[in-house]
Amino acid sequence: MSVDVPQVNLDAGPTPEVLAQLEAAFTAELADARGRADVAELQALKSRYFGPKGVVSLLLRAVGKLPPEARRDAGSSANQVKKALEGQLAEVLDALEAKAKDAELRRSRLDMTLPGRAPAPRGALHPVNRIIREMTDIFHRMGFEVAAGPEVELDWYNFEALNFPPDHPARDMQDTFFVTRPGAPSEASIRDLVLRTHTSPVQIRAMEKQGAPIRIISPGRVFRHDSDATHSPMFHQIEGLWVDEGVSLAHLKGVLSSFINAMFGERPMRLRPSFFPFVEPGVEVDMQCMLCDGAGCRLCKGTGWMEILGAGMVHPKVLANCGIDPERYTGFAFGLGVDRIAMLRWKLDELGHLFRSDVRFLSQI
Amino acid sequence: MKASLKWIREILPGLDASAEEIEKRLTAAGIEVEGTEREGAGLAGVITAEVRTCDKHPDADKLSVCTVFDGAKEHNVICGAPNARAGLKVAFAPVGTTLPGGFTLVKKKIRGVASEGMLCSEAELELSENHDGIIELDPGMQVGLPLAEVLGKDDVVFELGVTPNRPDVLSHFGLARELAAIFGRPAPKAAPAVTATGPEASASAQVRIDAASRCAKYVGRVITGVKVGPSPQDVQARLRAVGQRPISNVVDATNLALMELGHPLHAFDLHRLEGARIIVRPAGAGEKIELLDGSTKTLTEDDLVIADAAKPVALAGVMGGANSEVHEGTVDVLLEAAVFDPSSVRRTGRRHGLHTEASHRFERGVDAAMVEAAIDRCAALILEMAGGTLHAGRVTATGEAKPKASAKVRPARAAMLIGRPVSADEVKGTLTRLGLTFTGEDGDALVFEVPSWRVDLALEEDLIEEVGRLHGYDDLPAVMPPAGKAVWQHAPAVDVEGVLRDRLVGQGFFEAVSLAFAAPAHLEAMGLDPARAVVVTNPLGEESQLMRPSMLPPLLKAARLNQDNLPSITDVRLFELGRTFAWTDLQAKLPEQVRRVGVMMRGRRHPAAWNAEAGALDAYDLKAVVESMLEDFGAEVRYDAAEVSWLHPRSATCVVLRGKTLGFMGEAHPSLMEAFGLEGPPVFLAELDVDQLAALPRGPRRYVPLPKLPPAQRDLSFFISREVSGARVITTIRKADGGQFLESAEIFDVYEGKGVPDDQRSIAVSMTFRAADRTLTDQDVEGSLGKVMKALEKLGATIRKA
């Protein structure tokens, strides 16, 4: 339904009565058109009132025909009304346009419950290397540098320099793979090449090269001649070494206690005397069981403690073998198995999973 | 080693601590209790009872129906043992008892007759291997008593993890001595001396050492007129409890003395010793001996033997010979106790693959002062169990003895090394408890004589450990050491690995960690030189015969495993960082152990999606992965077409860095696929030398100021021979411009086929020109472009569109 533009006496100019009449008529029409939300109708309304032949334009033009003294007031009030009415119309039009745009945007709504499209599949670091990275970060913050060394190693570095004399039963603690030297007599008598049984040879090489003071950790692969459900012929260790003037067993306790708290959350630890040829005194480091928090469980055999590191004060012969004066310098060394930590973290039932590269396993990590 | 608490308490009667307390304190002192067996645990519920009647089963020839009285009531029990009879006192397991094997008895009918329990044999209760019938208890035995109590099965047996430095605790006496020190009790006393009633031993046997450096002492004792037979039950049980197999009273006596005092002993049949003499000598090369375990060993001159006048009769310190073994008919015995050189025993044991209770102790070092006490104790046990006459005196020969050891310790040094206050009194107190003798002071050091059994104590640090160990470390403060002077920087070597790992993981790769071995077949499949292979002397199997020469064999094996496990999907992206092994220089001390990264990818380019075609990976996807790895290192490389035996000729590429091979990449050769059993989508492989990347000069890349002036863009398309590589095209374009205005040139389209002359392809290049100091004019750009076109035409290109 359309409302006619009010019949206005143009000759009288925009008298207050005329303006009021105009305003009332426009407001009514606008309200009416807004209800129908019809943009075209509103555009028509606009042109009927404000277009060149619109009533408002005519009215304004009529101002010119008024006596000069009346023109100013009439013009001003007419313009005010025009502005107000135009404002009302613009508001309605803007709102309608915004709504239309919004509706347009909504029309392209996607089903975001459908799966995403990945640029590449998900990859992941190996669990063992994730743990090594975490541990390396912790030790790095304590000022340890990372050192590396060969995996096929000379007997000297793997054993003898570490105070494992030849024909010493301490060598039985580490079942060893040997490597054949090319051209060596077929008799297995020459056994100077081994797959390193621990990462300790890196300590020797680093001390030889750098001397004291020194503070390193050496993560890496190690090999033992052993294979069953809980032993792999290859596994990983992180070893640490801190040699300086006045380093004590209490310092070892401090560093390892900090490490355990950072890696496994605040938990008690203890040192237990033990034996490794390259340290004296030697200790094993237990921490409160990760599974039962000390209450006693199958994992810790009811003791509430789990053995986590081997450690001790670097044996004076080892320091001397590396050209470091054992009277002036003392130091501690420690080592731990990474794979077992990975097994505990992801609750693995079998060590072999770690080294088989089965994607079904790796994708769960 | 297994140790019986009952036995320890016999030696150290003052030890009143509980088993739990002893276990805790031993572990705290460094003698780790790895396990505890409570004897008789398997006998719970089994009681003594009397068979009142025993009749034949009505329906089975070999079964009897017994009424068994347990002191309170009678039970009906079916029994299959031939020795079941009325009046017998038996071990009775009523219904509800769980036998050591884990089997719980229930009431059931056997051939129509109900049975309410079981009469047990020794084997069924795991008391012995005797399965010849049910246990026959003492006829006077009271009924209704727990069997464990009756049999004295209330011992606690510790499984001890004794570290190789502590041979002195590899015996009950040694443990008692250690516990006395731990609990502050007086040290245990040795057994009383044995009385000899026979003539002088030296009249019936002689002993000589012909290898003085390898045998410090050899002592023999002669016992005549023994009666060899089984040992008493309690002796057999005691030996079994500590893991020894009873053999005969004479042999058991040697084992009892060994387990008690820690000193290995051996008994020879005196009459089987030619010339009744013992010579300790090196073996002759090729000399043979049959040992007690039935094996025959061919000896070398490095083996030490015990010989009689004619032949070797024992492998010294390791095992006795079969030819001189004590047997049922033995009457006269020569007992041996000796001190052999540890490394000599170890070499022999290792050479012949033998590890015995004796060699275990000799190679760690026995107490040289224990020899006489041990042989006397053994003689006493033989007299007790097998009778006979002990001849007077010991026949003894000596070699080179080790001098008495002494060691010094400075209390201040102990305090420094442990990190807590340590007084001279504490040091003296602790070491004296452990059997060391304080002999005086030397400057600020205390001097101690080390007892003969502590072969591990020589250095100051050794004594400091004893002080620390016996006190324990629970109250030791945890102190962070001062920062000190150590250098602190990120090691670039590891950084490189981290960068590569992150890059590859970001592109959808899983990191693999494989056993770093390879099989000879892998070498063959890759066409690698077996002469350069690093051979494992003692592999665990075929798959560990070599150290891997390349990162790829384990990745290809993984491809196969995943192909089998995920038959419908063969999308696999794996990489591994590690060392590869080769004897590039056969004279080198160590084989070359280059760090490499291996990359293996196959399957689809993207994960399957409902809204996209997941195209198959091709060689250019691999190329992008390789490029992305190198980008981080600013490594400018060349990609040369290469002949690589394991790569498909259509994409085999050598990556060249600064004139050196950095690695190879391409599609796996069909023959390599076949060798690893790979079927289906192609496998793309790359292997790069990480050490070379790590060696590249690193540092922040230099910033290039952002351009302030607008570029000019030109595209150029042309036909050119397929022989001309894309890289050559780009190099030619760059050269033509001579670094004047050309900022970048990139190939954006390559097409061959319809509309392109044979042997040619169409290449389109997009070029950006820019100058740093002014806006380029058309003339500038056209000038450069002209030079480029000319150069391309010289290369044989037909310009289609400029």
Side-chain angles (χ1 to χ4, degrees):
Chain A
M1 144 180 155
S2 89
V3 177
D4 287 334
V5 176
Q7 294 305 305
V8 181
N9 181 1
L10 290 174
D11 296 341
T15 60
E17 297 76 38
V18 167
L19 288 175
Q21 197 185 347
L22 189 70
E23 221 176 325
F26 179 81
T27 310
E29 271 198 82
L30 184 63
D32 190 37
R34 180 164 62 183
R36 282 188 296 281
D38 184 339
V39 177
E41 188 186 334
L42 285 162
Q43 294 292 359
L45 178 69
K46 189 178 175 181
S47 103
R48 267 188 288 121
Y49 277 85
F50 308 110
K53 288 187 178 160
V55 63
V56 176
S57 311
L58 295 175
L59 206 55
L60 279 170
R61 248 175 265 149
V63 173
K65 292 174 186 160
L66 291 181
E69 63 280 6
R71 277 186 211 164
R72 192 188 154 104
D73 279 354
S76 151
S77 50
N79 266 320
Q80 265 179 32
V81 169
K82 181 192 176 195
K83 237 182 175 168
L85 295 186
E86 271 181 337
Q88 281 180 32
L89 179 65
E91 210 173 283
V92 171
L93 269 171
D94 285 355
L96 274 180
E97 256 169 58
K99 208 175 155 190
K101 266 189 196 156
D102 185 59
E104 178 64 31
L105 294 180
R106 282 168 195 283
R107 228 192 315 281
S108 52
R109 168 75 203 169
L110 303 177
D111 178 359
M112 291 309 284
T113 64
L114 290 171
R117 181 174 57 225
R122 191 187 80 93
L125 276 186
H126 191 271
V128 164
N129 283 325
R130 269 176 67 172
I131 302 236
I132 287 180
R133 196 176 259 202
E134 286 172 32
M135 290 181 174
T136 305
D137 282 349
I138 293 169
F139 285 118
H140 191 237
R141 271 173 260 159
M142 289 192 253
F144 287 84
E145 258 190 277
V146 176
E151 288 165 18
V152 175
E153 190 48 288
L154 293 168
D155 181 273
W156 166 260
Y157 288 106
N158 193 71
F159 287 126
E160 213 164 336
L162 286 157
N163 197 31
F164 287 81
D167 303 318
H168 195 277
R171 293 194 175 203
D172 290 346
M173 294 165 89
Q174 305 187 353
D175 290 333
T176 310
F177 278 109
F178 296 93
V179 162
T180 309
R181 185 175 281 289
S186 59
E187 166 107 11
S189 59
I190 300 177
R191 294 193 146 192
D192 68 327
L193 284 177
V194 301
L195 298 189
R196 67 176 181 194
T197 55
H198 44 191
T199 49
S200 314
V202 178
Q203 296 180 13
I204 302 294
R205 287 181 176 275
M207 281 194 282
E208 265 184 3
K209 208 170 129 192
Q210 193 181 323
I214 189 169
R215 202 186 315 172
I216 54 159
I217 54 161
S218 51
R221 299 176 198 240
V222 300
F223 302 82
R224 302 269 173 97
H225 199 264
D226 206 352
S227 184
D228 59 37
T230 53
H231 295 89
S232 165
M234 186 198 83
F235 56 99
H236 298 76
Q237 283 187 341
I238 284 195
E239 295 217 349
L241 171 76
W242 186 320
V243 177
D244 207 335
E245 289 174 10
V247 175
S248 74
L249 198 64
H251 291 142
L252 168 75
K253 201 173 178 182
V255 165
L256 292 183
S257 162
S258 302
F259 164 70
I260 286 170
N261 290 341
M263 187 73 202
F264 303 103
E266 292 256 346
R267 54 183 66 239
M269 56 93 82
R270 68 176 187 189
L271 304 184
R272 205 158 30 75
S274 189
F275 168 76
F276 306 98
F278 39 98
V279 287
E280 190 78 45
V283 293
E284 266 170 356
V285 183
D286 296 340
M287 70 172 186
Q288 191 188 63
C289 180
M290 278 167 74
L291 216 61
C292 63
D293 288 336
C297 67
R298 219 165 47 106
L299 179 65
C300 61
K301 291 182 192 151
T303 62
W305 295 97
M306 53 190 291
E307 186 188 316
I308 177 147
L309 290 125
M313 301 305 294
V314 182
H315 198 286
K317 283 184 188 165
V318 173
L319 291 173
N321 282 338
C322 301
I324 293 173
D325 176 8
E327 186 59 30
R328 179 173 169 200
Y329 289 104
T330 55
F332 58 76
F334 56 86
L336 72 96
V338 179
D339 313 73
R340 193 167 67 108
I341 306 297
M343 287 190 76
L344 288 170
R345 172 173 305 177
W346 285 283
K347 309 226 181 319
L348 307 186
D349 52 358
E350 195 204 323
L351 185 60
H353 282 315
L354 289 172
F355 308 122
R356 228 172 268 138
S357 310
D358 188 331
V359 169
R360 296 173 304 173
F361 166 75
L362 293 174
S363 59
Q364 290 184 46
I365 300 303
Chain B
M1 129 158 187
K2 282 183 162 186
S4 149
L5 183 54
K6 215 183 224 179
W7 198 342
I8 292 171
R9 287 195 205 272
E10 280 170 23
I11 296 167
L12 191 68
L15 182 69
D16 46 15
S18 68
E20 290 75 18
E21 176 71 5
I22 290 169
E23 178 181 340
K24 226 172 85 186
R25 297 287 291 272
L26 275 176
T27 296
I31 298 158
E32 192 177 352
V33 179
E34 292 174 340
T36 307
E37 273 172 43
R38 284 177 189 277
E39 193 200 16
L43 300 181
V46 183
I47 50 173
T48 59
E50 182 184 356
V51 178
R52 286 204 160 153
T53 66
C54 182
D55 302 305
K56 244 189 170 27
H57 190 290
D59 211 15
D61 280 352
K62 290 190 174 160
L63 298 180
S64 8
V65 181
C66 308
T67 45
V68 177
F69 180 62
D70 67 3
K73 61 183 265 217
E74 287 187 352
H75 304 265
N76 221 31
V77 179
I78 311 291
C79 181
N83 63 334
R85 59 186 185 273
L88 196 64
K89 294 283 172 63
V90 293
F92 172 55
V95 165
T97 308
T98 301
L99 296 175
F103 171 69
T104 302
L105 294 172
V106 290
K107 185 171 176 173
K108 65 171 181 184
K109 279 189 174 175
I110 299 173
R111 295 252 177 147
V113 183
S115 184
E116 304 166 331
M118 182 172 147
L119 307 185
C120 306
S121 71
E122 287 186 7
E124 280 154 352
L125 296 178
E126 291 184 2
L127 294 169
S128 78
E129 284 151 28
N130 183 2
H131 210 306
D132 293 344
I134 54 173
I135 296 171
E136 299 193 15
L137 294 168
D138 185 348
M141 178 68 66
Q142 201 184 325
V143 296
L145 299 176
L147 186 70
E149 193 179 291
V150 166
L151 297 179
K153 300 272 174 196
D154 51 359
D155 197 2
V156 174
V157 176
F158 297 126
E159 179 68 50
L160 301 170
V162 177
T163 52
N165 60 326
R166 294 298 305 275
D168 63 297
V169 294
L170 289 172
S171 70
H172 289 80
F173 183 82
L175 284 166
R177 184 169 53 202
E178 182 76 4
L179 283 164
I182 292 171
F183 285 97
R185 296 285 146 77
K189 287 194 186 62
V194 63
T195 321
T197 55
E200 275 297 321
S202 55
S204 41
Q206 268 102 51
V207 176
R208 192 175 88 211
I209 297 173
D210 283 356
S213 64
R214 295 164 69 179
C215 178
K217 193 188 258 182
Y218 193 101
V219 175
R221 286 210 82 147
V222 175
I223 305 171
T224 51
V226 299
K227 192 168 180 303
V228 176
S231 300
Q233 284 301 323
D234 58 336
V235 169
Q236 293 195 22
R238 168 157 284 188
L239 283 172
R240 268 193 215 103
V242 295
Q244 303 293 308
R245 196 163 53 91
I247 294 166
S248 68
N249 45 14
V250 173
V251 176
D252 291 353
T254 63
N255 286 331
L256 268 183
L258 166 71
M259 295 311 292
E260 182 176 318
L261 299 175
H263 201 100
L265 293 134
H266 185 65
F268 294 104
D269 182 327
L270 184 55
H271 293 298
R272 296 170 82 178
L273 295 178
E274 190 96 14
R277 65 173 59 233
I278 288 289
I279 304 157
V280 184
R281 61 162 171 87
E287 210 171 0
K288 285 191 163 62
I289 184 172
E290 189 192 343
L291 297 174
L292 286 176
D293 65 359
S295 68
T296 299
K297 305 289 181 192
T298 305
L299 306 177
T300 75
E301 285 164 338
D302 190 45
D303 292 318
L304 190 68
V305 295
I306 312 302
D308 61 13
K311 60 189 184 293
V313 293
L315 208 44
V318 182
M319 196 181 278
N323 55 13
S324 57
E325 182 183 3
V326 168
H327 58 99
E328 279 175 19
T330 297
V331 183
D332 298 340
V333 167
L334 175 72
L335 271 184
E336 163 201 295
V339 179
F340 298 113
D341 173 52
S343 66
S344 166
V345 172
R346 182 167 161 83
R347 286 200 304 276
T348 292
R350 209 174 60 180
R351 185 175 305 123
H352 300 294
L354 296 167
H355 188 93
T356 61
E357 293 287 343
S359 71
H360 189 78
R361 286 166 178 81
F362 279 123
E363 62 184 32
R364 282 159 175 74
V366 295
D367 178 0
M370 177 68 87
V371 178
E372 288 80 8
I375 201 166
D376 287 1
R377 175 68 182 140
C378 183
L381 287 166
I382 290 176
L383 294 181
E384 205 179 303
M385 295 194 287
T389 307
L390 176 64
H391 289 213
R394 312 177 188 104
V395 284
T396 299
T398 53
E400 292 164 14
K402 270 217 293 203
K404 273 196 171 171
S406 72
K408 296 176 192 178
V409 58
R410 291 162 291 174
R413 180 80 176 171
M416 185 258 126
L417 199 66
I418 297 173
R420 66 168 172 85
V422 175
S423 68
D425 283 348
E426 183 190 346
V427 172
K428 278 189 209 166
T430 302
L431 296 181
T432 308
R433 256 159 78 192
L434 286 164
L436 286 86
T437 314
F438 175 62
T439 58
E441 288 172 14
D442 177 5
D444 52 358
L446 310 176
V447 186
F448 292 87
E449 193 184 290
V450 175
S452 56
W453 61 88
R454 287 305 299 269
V455 292
D456 59 321
L457 302 183
L459 305 177
E460 182 174 34
E461 284 75 8
D462 298 333
L463 301 193
I464 293 174
E465 164 156 64
E466 294 304 297
V467 172
R469 178 175 77 87
L470 226 59
H471 178 88
Y473 301 124
D474 287 351
D475 61 356
L476 185 67
V479 182
M480 276 309 276
K485 287 172 272 188
V487 203
W488 186 0
Q489 64 172 27
H490 220 303
V494 174
D495 219 356
V496 172
E497 294 182 9
V499 167
L500 288 172
R501 284 194 171 105
D502 289 345
R503 180 60 71 190
L504 289 165
V505 165
Q507 293 180 87
F509 285 81
F510 286 112
E511 185 182 20
V513 170
S514 325
L515 304 185
F517 301 112
H522 299 154
L523 225 66
E524 202 182 312
M526 291 187 72
L528 299 173
D529 181 4
R532 304 283 160 191
V534 175
V535 177
V536 177
T537 316
N538 53 337
L540 283 172
E542 207 228 338
E543 295 281 300
S544 63
Q545 279 187 24
L546 308 174
M547 296 309 289
R548 62 176 166 210
S550 151
M551 298 306 294
L552 299 177
L555 291 176
L556 289 160
K557 268 174 71 183
R560 171 64 194 271
L561 173 102
N562 286 294
Q563 174 180 289
D564 293 345
N565 286 340
L566 311 164
S568 59
I569 315 166
T570 38
D571 294 355
V572 182
R573 294 184 192 191
L574 287 170
F575 77 96
E576 182 172 9
L577 259 156
R579 288 179 195 274
T580 56
F581 305 83
W583 286 104
T584 41
D585 173 4
L586 292 171
Q587 307 306 316
K589 270 185 163 179
L590 286 174
E592 191 179 59
Q593 303 175 48
V594 178
R595 276 183 307 157
R596 290 201 160 89
V597 57
V599 169
M600 186 275 292
M601 66 197 299
R602 71 185 310 203
R604 289 166 298 193
R605 186 173 291 153
H606 307 290
W610 56 273
N611 52 353
E613 279 291 319
L617 287 170
D618 63 29
Y620 294 106
D621 294 297
L622 176 73
K623 172 94 189 282
V625 170
V626 170
E627 285 168 334
S628 77
M629 287 196 282
L630 301 176
E631 218 159 66
D632 285 306
F633 302 97
E636 298 231 350
V637 297
R638 245 175 34 223
Y639 297 91
D640 291 352
E643 291 288 326
V644 184
S645 57
W646 44 275
L647 287 176
H648 198 298
R650 74 174 157 219
S651 60
T653 302
C654 179
V655 186
V656 182
L657 174 68
R658 300 176 162 195
K660 255 183 93 181
T661 299
L662 181 67
F664 294 97
M665 62 169 200
E667 181 183 339
H669 197 283
S671 64
L672 186 69
M673 297 276 286
E674 200 187 315
F676 281 89
L678 296 170
E679 290 161 356
V683 171
F684 297 95
L685 300 170
E687 186 176 35
L688 301 178
D689 181 331
V690 175
D691 281 335
Q692 277 191 51
L693 291 179
L696 284 173
R698 297 201 68 202
R701 276 195 236 179
R702 223 174 96 199
Y703 149 81
V704 179
L706 302 182
K708 294 194 177 71
L709 296 164
Q713 203 81 38
R714 291 289 189 281
D715 291 351
L716 198 60
S717 75
F718 47 88
F719 293 141
I720 196 160
S721 160
R722 284 193 208 177
E723 298 295 310
V724 179
S725 70
R728 181 114 186 258
V729 165
I730 296 297
T731 326
T732 306
I733 292 173
R734 287 195 165 282
K735 239 188 192 159
D737 171 73
Q740 201 184 3
F741 300 130
L742 185 69
E743 189 177 79
S744 70
E746 273 161 27
I747 292 175
F748 70 90
D749 189 45
V750 178
Y751 173 75
E752 44 194 81
K754 211 178 153 197
V756 181
D758 281 351
D759 302 328
Q760 297 216 351
R761 53 182 181 169
S762 160
I763 293 182
V765 181
S766 161
M767 287 168 288
T768 306
F769 298 90
R770 197 187 326 245
D773 53 350
R774 62 192 171 91
T775 303
L776 290 180
T777 62
D778 273 357
Q779 226 174 345
D780 293 331
V781 178
E782 293 311 321
S784 252
L785 199 59
K787 282 189 252 174
V788 167
M789 289 195 285
K790 216 162 144 193
L792 286 173
E793 276 162 355
K794 217 172 142 195
L795 207 58
T798 316
I799 308 291
R800 298 172 58 211
K801 205 170 82 192

